Amino acid sequence: TPKRYKAVNVPKGFVTDLTSAPRAFWSLVPRTGVYLHAAIVHDFLYWEQAISREDADEIFNFAMTDLKVGDMIRSTIYSAVKLAGGASWNANNQAKLEGEKRVLKDFPDDPMTTWTDWKKVSSRFA
């Protein structure tokens, strides 16, 4: 019997890097494919860390299935996340310990504003 999970509500303004595939794989796994919403949920789960990394990865897989991502692409992405996601999980944990926030209440007017520059002003976060 599969685990039952609670609904995941990603707050408006959550900062995501979309699909985190290495550039070399963008032709196979573009950053904004049909799996994009699943990737945003996964990024949020990796940031919040209110559930285990394994559960976050499983929810990602379920979400891609619900979005009808093809089996080959879905299994490739899921396998990559299971194999290499630990670095992102750990980096997020460290960033949170250092006080980083990832939910914006204010948005840049200049589309060229970098995340590095934007996050220097804490009043921009919810």
Side-chain angles (χ1 to χ4, degrees):
T1 303
K3 277 186 169 180
R4 302 272 311 164
Y5 294 106
K6 295 179 183 177
V8 177
N9 295 306
V10 179
K12 179 181 178 180
F14 175 70
V15 177
T16 175
D17 65 357
L18 307 175
T19 305
S20 310
R23 183 180 288 279
F25 296 102
W26 284 1
S27 61
L28 175 64
V29 184
R31 295 176 60 93
T32 58
V34 67
Y35 38 76
L36 176 61
H37 289 95
I40 292 169
V41 167
H42 188 249
D43 278 0
F44 179 71
L45 293 172
Y46 262 47
W47 178 254
E48 286 293 304
Q49 299 186 358
I51 61 174
S52 71
R53 179 178 157 227
E54 292 76 17
D55 285 350
D57 292 347
E58 191 169 329
I59 289 169
F60 184 37
N61 195 36
F62 290 153
M64 288 190 292
T65 300
D66 287 349
L67 291 169
K68 298 183 179 16
V69 174
D71 288 343
M72 186 180 85
I73 296 295
R74 183 191 49 74
S75 65
T76 298
I77 293 171
Y78 180 61
S79 295
V81 163
K82 286 181 63 87
L83 178 69
S88 293
W89 182 270
N90 294 336
N92 283 346
N93 185 52
Q94 185 61 41
K96 284 173 65 173
L97 289 173
E98 293 171 1
E100 186 169 312
K101 306 290 185 201
R102 293 267 175 95
V103 179
L104 302 176
K105 67 177 182 181
D106 191 19
F107 300 90
D109 293 326
D110 180 355
M112 299 305 289
T113 303
T114 66
W115 172 239
T116 301
D117 289 340
W118 193 254
K119 69 182 178 179
K120 290 178 183 173
V121 181
S122 64
S123 64
R124 295 178 170 149
F125 298 90

